Amino acid sequence: GLPRGNIFHGDLAWPFAEDGEAGGWGVETDVANVFVCGAGARRGGGVSGIGGHNAAMAVLDARRAAIR
């Protein structure tokens, strides 16, 4: 069930994305409260752990914005 048989769910562009290509942390989706934290993250991915870190930071940012 891997997209195109790619174990990373897509081409890696670690750790940078082109301007405007990814949200603030590179883990955002079309659903406001759903973030990608694994290999499919736009920034990071693979086994780097960056996707999980960035997803946690995006959740914290979203929570801070909701409190304001």
Side-chain angles (χ1 to χ4, degrees):
L2 298 174
R4 299 178 310 195
N6 190 327
I7 63 170
F8 298 115
H9 301 242
D11 295 334
L12 296 180
W14 182 82
F16 305 105
E18 299 296 323
D19 288 339
E21 189 175 51
W25 287 100
V27 296
E28 294 79 1
T29 66
D30 292 339
V31 181
N33 61 346
V34 175
F35 301 96
V36 178
C37 63
R42 184 62 187 102
R43 292 195 174 112
V47 295
S48 65
I50 294 172
H53 168 272
N54 289 353
M57 298 305 293
V59 168
L60 291 173
D61 283 352
R63 182 174 167 92
R64 286 184 201 115
I67 293 173
R68 293 180 193 164

